[in-house]
Amino acid sequence: MSVRTRKLLMVAYRVLLIALVALILGSFVVDRLGEAPYPRIWLGLGAALVVVIVLLRSGMKSLRPDANRPPVEVLAPVTGRWTALNSPADKVPSHGTHGYGQTYAIDIVAEPEPGDGPARPGFAWVWPPVRRSDAFPAYGAPLLAVADGTVVHASDNQRDHLSRNSLPMLAYLLLIESTLREMGGAGRIVGNHIILDLGDGTYAMYAHVRQGSLQVRAGDRVRAGQEIASCGNSGNSTEPHVHFQLMDTPDLDTARGVPFTWRGIGVPSNGETFMAEGVRTVNAALHDDVARVRRLEAAERLAARGARGEFDAAAAHDAAKRARRQAFE
């Protein structure tokens, strides 16, 4: 299925779904919607919706990524201690669908060390049914550019809603809210989001961004490790978390997933807790390594000059010894 055809079918799907839901809701307040010719309209819309869904399902193969494409290495989009959920290390597609470029998407939640801050609230079967976003340690955590790139899309106008991490609210999310968001398009599903063009046909997408937290806008150039926004709970989300994925186009309706690996981490599996170090930490370590090599080189030059008799050999030996010791401090 071509990209254009899939895009048209996605638009048709949403229009038909909205029309059908409007008729269903209208039937509760307008009696005539049960009289002729409205039943035929109901049947026509329903049949058209089924046809569109079947066509979209049959064309799902077009969204399957190239199995031979190697993972793209990028930095982690966060720093600190996090736990992976819905990971492509365990299952592909990781979120149960190739749609919206989610083939290799991953969700991560903040898991502070005991004593470093409030713990992440667990799943509640009944009570409390909802929690405020700020009850979760991931809320407000900085989101970082995973590589140098250009901002293609950046939005943060949708609100951060209450959590859906209880059985009643999870049922509401799956049975009602997700359908309503589907009608609004991909932007309502992923919520506030940022898309970065990393070059070579690779785009990074961050979903569920916190309302009002953007530090970049479309067209901006970003550097690896630069803070671009904060973690939130907008869109189709049970709790504040980071949804991250790579894809081959910025259009979520037609995107195909691209595999990734995080530098120094890899791809954490479901339930795996990992530490992410920012690019500043990595660069600092590299700087230390370079400085250490330069000290050793200086020590060798001192020793060589002393051996050639350019100045006192004993003094040169002591200076070289000090330089070597400093190199490993």
Side-chain angles (χ1 to χ4, degrees):
M1 180 183 293
S2 69
V3 170
R4 180 180 176 82
T5 300
R6 180 166 184 83
K7 187 68 176 180
L8 290 173
L9 285 174
M10 289 296 294
V11 173
Y13 166 73
R14 290 176 185 129
V15 170
L16 290 169
L17 188 59
I18 291 171
L20 194 58
V21 170
L23 277 175
I24 293 172
L25 295 177
S27 67
F28 290 100
V29 294
V30 181
D31 292 336
R32 292 186 58 191
L33 290 182
E35 302 173 1
Y38 292 107
R40 292 182 180 179
I41 296 176
W42 284 61
L43 290 173
L45 287 174
L49 184 60
V50 169
V51 170
V52 169
I53 291 174
V54 170
L55 290 173
L56 285 170
R57 293 283 185 181
S58 64
M60 192 62 71
K61 291 182 179 178
S62 64
L63 296 181
R64 292 180 179 175
D66 180 3
N68 296 318
R69 181 165 183 171
V72 177
E73 185 182 70
V74 294
L75 296 174
V78 293
T79 58
R81 191 171 184 263
W82 296 74
T83 296
L85 304 172
N86 302 317
S87 171
D90 294 270
K91 181 182 71 172
V92 175
S94 58
H95 285 58
T97 177
H98 294 287
Y100 302 121
Q102 296 184 96
T103 302
Y104 302 102
I106 190 169
D107 294 330
I108 55 175
V109 292
E111 295 278 8
E113 290 279 6
D116 287 351
R120 172 182 166 235
F123 183 82
W125 289 104
V126 178
W127 194 265
V130 297
R131 291 183 173 89
R132 293 173 57 89
S133 292
D134 56 14
F136 295 83
Y139 186 66
L143 299 178
L144 311 177
V146 295
D148 295 347
T150 303
V151 180
V152 175
H153 173 91
S155 61
D156 68 349
N157 61 318
Q158 298 182 50
R159 68 184 180 87
D160 296 293
H161 53 71
L162 297 172
S163 73
R164 311 286 192 252
N165 68 331
S166 67
L167 189 59
M169 294 308 295
L170 182 60
Y172 161 75
L173 175 67
L174 296 176
L175 299 177
I176 300 175
E177 184 177 356
S178 59
T179 300
L180 296 176
R181 290 189 180 280
E182 187 81 32
M183 290 189 293
R188 289 294 170 182
I189 295 172
V190 299
N192 301 323
H193 61 289
I194 297 174
I195 299 177
L196 303 180
D197 182 356
L198 307 184
D200 297 324
T202 301
Y203 297 81
M205 197 276 285
Y206 307 68
H208 315 307
V209 171
R210 182 179 180 178
Q211 184 179 38
S213 70
L214 285 181
Q215 298 192 27
V216 294
R217 59 183 179 179
D220 286 354
R221 287 284 300 170
V222 296
R223 300 298 301 270
Q226 177 181 335
E227 185 173 339
I228 56 177
S230 301
C231 174
N233 196 39
S234 57
N236 207 55
S237 170
T238 56
E239 65 176 271
H241 71 284
V242 178
H243 173 107
F244 174 81
Q245 66 189 50
L246 296 185
M247 51 195 185
D248 66 353
T249 174
D251 187 344
L252 290 166
D253 282 338
T254 60
R256 297 193 302 170
V258 173
F260 73 90
T261 182
W262 286 332
R263 190 173 306 157
I265 298 171
V267 182
S269 57
N270 287 339
E272 180 181 346
T273 300
F274 62 93
M275 285 292 298
E277 295 183 341
V279 68
R280 293 180 181 85
T281 303
V282 174
N283 284 343
L286 290 174
H287 181 271
D288 289 345
D289 288 342
V290 171
R292 185 175 294 112
V293 169
R294 287 175 177 170
R295 291 192 197 103
L296 286 172
E297 290 175 344
E300 297 304 323
R301 286 195 297 271
L302 283 171
R305 292 178 65 184
R308 291 195 299 268
E310 294 182 13
F311 54 85
D312 184 73
H317 175 76
D318 290 340
K321 189 175 180 180
R322 285 195 302 272
R324 291 190 186 99
R325 185 172 60 251
Q326 292 171 357
F328 290 98
E329 288 180 348

